[in-house]
Amino acid sequence: MTLGTGLIGAGYLYRTDPHIGGQWLPRCPLHWLTGLYCPACGGTRMAYDLMHGDLPAAFADNAVLLVLGVPAAAWWGGRWLYEGARGRRHRPQLKGAGTVVVLTIAVMWTVLRNLAGWTPG
């Protein structure tokens, strides 16, 4: 069910350009309330650009999410599939130092993009 819902969402996003206003896509609550960009702001536009093969535009939308988040998600997803194919259950988790690293990168990216004016595409 989750996979089906994800595929429907991806299909909708593929046909709906988030760079054009007025689309039926969720807005970032933090940006809507404060005008500040969160670490994931631009992620929807980045996913759209990746699905259409536009890597420079995806980088402009959210560089850190593209460079660090996409490979991490691919690794965790691949590991989950590998373990599932072997009949084992795998639940990816961040613990200890991993959590500190992710939170530190998220805070630094948030500060950088809001102070330096690196706004999503």
Side-chain angles (χ1 to χ4, degrees):
M1 177 144 167
T2 303
L3 180 61
T5 304
L7 288 173
I8 290 170
Y12 178 77
L13 180 60
Y14 186 82
R15 298 177 51 121
T16 306
D17 188 350
H19 297 282
I20 299 171
Q23 304 294 345
W24 190 74
L25 293 167
R27 289 188 61 193
C28 173
L30 180 70
H31 187 259
W32 180 70
L33 288 171
T34 67
L36 298 173
Y37 295 104
C38 78
C41 274
T44 303
R45 288 183 293 274
M46 181 194 74
Y48 174 85
D49 291 333
L50 284 176
M51 284 192 275
H52 288 85
D54 193 349
L55 198 56
F59 186 83
D61 292 329
N62 194 320
V64 171
L65 191 59
L66 177 66
V67 172
L68 299 177
V70 170
W75 185 83
W76 274 333
R79 175 87 189 269
W80 176 76
L81 287 171
Y82 175 77
E83 295 295 341
R86 301 191 75 176
R88 297 186 222 154
R89 186 172 216 161
H90 178 69
R91 293 185 181 167
Q93 298 179 29
L94 272 179
K95 295 182 182 180
T99 302
V100 172
V101 168
V102 169
L103 289 176
T104 301
I105 291 169
V107 168
M108 289 173 48
W109 175 232
T110 300
V111 170
L112 175 69
R113 74 188 320 192
N114 284 290
L115 291 181
W118 193 344
T119 60

